Amino acid sequence: MDKQDIKKAKELITSSGYIVIIGHKSPDGDSVGSSLGLYNVLKKIHHEVHVCMPDPHPGFLNWLKGSDQIVNYEEHQGEVNKHFEKADLIFCLDFNAESRVGKMEGLLNASKANKIMIDHHQDPTDFTDLTFSFPDECSTCQLIYKFLVELDYADHIDSDSGSCLYCGIMTDTGSFKFPSTTAETHRIIADLIDKGVDHFKIHEEVFDKNTEQKLKLRSYILSNSLQVLNEYKTAIISVTEKDLESHGYIKGDTEGLVNVALSLGVVNRAAFFMENDGLIKISFRSKGKENPVNSIANKYFDGGGHINAAGGRYLGSIDDAITKFVTVLPEFV
Ligand code: 5GP
Ligand code: MN
C-alpha cells in the first residue's frame, strides 16, 4: 500500500470523531467480516464507529463480534440516515462502485464525509478520497489486515477482530482453495491463529450448522434443476420463489450452492438463477483465467464481479433468463 495514502488514511482516522463503515448489498462473509474486523479494532482505540449495510446479512454470520450492532437500511432507514449525517469518515469496504450499495446510494453520494475505499474488485469507480484497490488480493479481509498492519494497529487485532478477518478470507477463498490464496494468505492466517482465533470453530459456524430444511432445499435444487451443457462445459441450476417458499427458505440457505455445480469435473463454468422479489438474481462461477464470468455478468446481466466469481440480475422469468444465458454463451467459450 502506498505510504503517502496510508499516512493520509491515518490522519483521517485520528481526526474523525464519527466513523461509518459500509458494505455492499446482499452482504457476504467478506463484506461483513471486513466491516466488523475494522469496526472492532477502531472501537478498541476509542472511536465512535458504526457499521451500516444496505440489507440484512445471512444468519450464519451472527456469531461475529459486533454483528448485532450492524444497522441495515432495509429495516432501519432512519438510523442509517442519522449515521450518514453525522459521519466524518466513511469506509467503503468490499465494493468498487456507488451502485453496489443499492438503496443507500443516494446517501453515499450526498454525504460530505471523507471516504476511503478498501476493495479487491476490478475497475474501481473514482468516488472516494482515498482508494486502496487491489484486484489480485483474495479478499477485502486480507486487505484490512494489511491496512491495519501498515497503520501500526497490528497489536490491536485480537481474537474477536481476527475471527472476523479469518471468516472473510475463508469464505472468499473457498476455504483457502482458490488460486487467489497465496503463501502470504497462509502467513496472515497463521498470525491470526497466533492472536487467538479458533479456526475450527469458524469453519463449524459457517459450514457445519446446517438445518434439515436447508439441506433438503439444496438437494432439491440440484436434483430438480441441474443441467449440464457439455458442449459449453457449463452447468446451470435454478430455483423459483415458489419452491424457495415451500422449502422454508431462509437468507443464506443457498450460499455456495453454485460452487457445487462448478465442482463437476466436466464443467469450467456454472450459473445459478434464483427468483427473488420478482427479479432473477444470478451467481456465476468459473475455473481458470481463460473463462471470465464477470464479462458475461457485466455485458448481459447488469452486474459484474471477479473473473471467476460474479453476479447479476435479469428482469423476467427464470426460463427467459436461462435462455438468454445459453444464447450468449457461445460468445464467451
Ligand atoms: P454472489 O454470486 O456471491 O452474489 O457474487 C459473487 C461476486 O460477484 C461477488 O464478488 C460480488 O461482489 C459480485 N457481484 C454480485 N452481484 C453483483 C452485481 O450486481 N454487480 C457487481 N458489480 N458485482 C456483483
Ligand atoms: Mn470480497
Side-chain angles (χ1 to χ4, degrees):
M1 292 176 178
D2 182 83
K3 288 269 172 283
Q4 274 313 106
D5 284 351
I6 287 291
K7 191 162 167 267
K8 280 186 220 155
K10 189 144 187 179
E11 282 164 8
L12 284 177
I13 292 170
T14 24
S15 66
S16 295
Y18 206 101
I19 300 177
V20 172
I21 301 170
I22 64 173
H24 58 74
K25 62 185 167 188
S26 302
D28 59 4
D30 193 32
S31 173
V32 179
S34 57
S35 297
L36 290 178
L38 181 61
Y39 166 85
N40 284 310
V41 169
L42 291 179
K43 267 193 93 84
K44 218 171 162 179
I45 49 179
H46 311 297
H47 278 287
E48 163 118 32
V49 51
H50 301 272
V51 178
C52 298
M53 292 286 173
D55 51 301
H57 60 267
F60 65 81
L61 299 172
N62 274 342
W63 56 275
L64 291 169
K65 177 84 186 285
S67 60
D68 55 341
Q69 301 298 312
I70 298 175
V71 194
N72 79 76
Y73 188 74
E74 199 173 282
E75 294 168 340
H76 305 281
Q77 268 189 40
E79 219 176 317
V80 173
N81 282 334
K82 185 193 80 183
H83 290 318
F84 270 84
E85 260 166 39
K86 290 190 171 181
D88 301 312
L89 174 62
I90 299 176
F91 277 99
C92 300
L93 304 188
D94 201 36
F95 65 91
N96 59 355
E98 302 101 303
S99 60
R100 293 285 292 131
V101 299
K103 294 192 172 125
M104 289 194 326
E105 186 176 352
L107 285 180
L108 184 58
N109 282 330
S111 171
K112 299 236 172 345
N114 291 299
K115 300 180 189 101
I116 299 178
M117 180 202 296
I118 304 179
D119 179 51
H120 68 137
H121 294 89
Q122 285 175 319
D123 307 321
T125 309
D126 184 20
F127 71 98
T128 44
D129 301 277
L130 279 176
T131 303
F132 295 93
S133 168
F134 297 88
D136 289 336
E137 296 277 322
C138 68
S139 58
T140 300
C141 278
Q142 177 160 309
L143 283 170
I144 293 293
Y145 174 93
K146 291 163 86 165
F147 181 66
L148 291 170
V149 169
E150 297 269 348
L151 290 173
D152 228 359
Y153 289 161
D155 287 347
H156 298 298
I157 304 174
D158 59 15
S159 60
D160 287 331
S161 48
S163 296
C164 298
L165 299 180
Y166 185 105
C167 178
I169 298 175
M170 178 187 80
T171 52
D172 258 28
T173 59
S175 299
F176 318 109
K177 77 174 181 191
F178 298 153
S180 57
T181 311
T182 60
E184 184 187 34
T185 305
H186 286 287
R187 280 191 285 270
I188 290 170
I189 290 300
D191 186 47
L192 293 177
I193 292 173
D194 278 343
K195 287 179 184 298
V197 170
D198 282 332
H199 55 95
F200 57 97
K201 284 191 188 159
I202 298 175
H203 289 259
E204 204 174 289
E205 287 289 352
V206 175
F207 300 117
D208 299 334
K209 294 236 164 141
N210 287 326
T211 60
E212 186 181 341
Q213 148 274 330
K214 176 179 167 182
L215 281 190
K216 283 184 172 163
L217 169 65
R218 291 168 80 93
S219 45
Y220 170 79
I221 294 172
L222 290 174
S223 64
N224 182 61
S225 74
L226 176 66
Q227 43 173 317
V228 182
L229 310 175
N230 283 305
E231 69 274 39
Y232 299 131
K233 292 188 166 47
T234 297
I236 296 172
I237 52 174
S238 61
V239 66
T240 62
E241 200 146 30
K242 195 163 145 270
D243 280 342
L244 287 171
E245 273 165 24
S246 67
H247 285 82
Y249 169 75
I250 295 168
K251 194 167 186 161
D253 281 352
T254 58
E255 193 91 16
L257 192 60
V258 64
N259 293 308
V260 179
L262 186 68
S263 72
L264 286 162
V266 293
V267 311
N268 52 29
R269 193 182 295 96
F272 175 33
F273 297 76
M274 180 162 122
E275 192 180 8
N276 189 269
D277 284 336
L279 201 77
I280 313 299
K281 163 90 182 80
I282 312 150
S283 286
F284 300 100
R285 297 292 185 275
S286 64
K287 302 168 186 164
K289 288 219 184 309
E290 65 284 10
N291 298 306
V293 278
N294 51 354
S295 42
I296 307 179
N298 184 268
K299 188 164 178 189
Y300 290 109
F301 294 99
D302 186 26
H306 309 280
I307 291 174
N308 297 133
R313 75 209 76 251
Y314 179 84
L315 200 57
S317 72
I318 285 210
D319 287 345
D320 288 350
I322 294 176
T323 302
K324 178 170 175 178
F325 176 61
V326 175
T327 308
V328 303
L329 207 45
E331 201 183 310
F332 299 90
V333 296

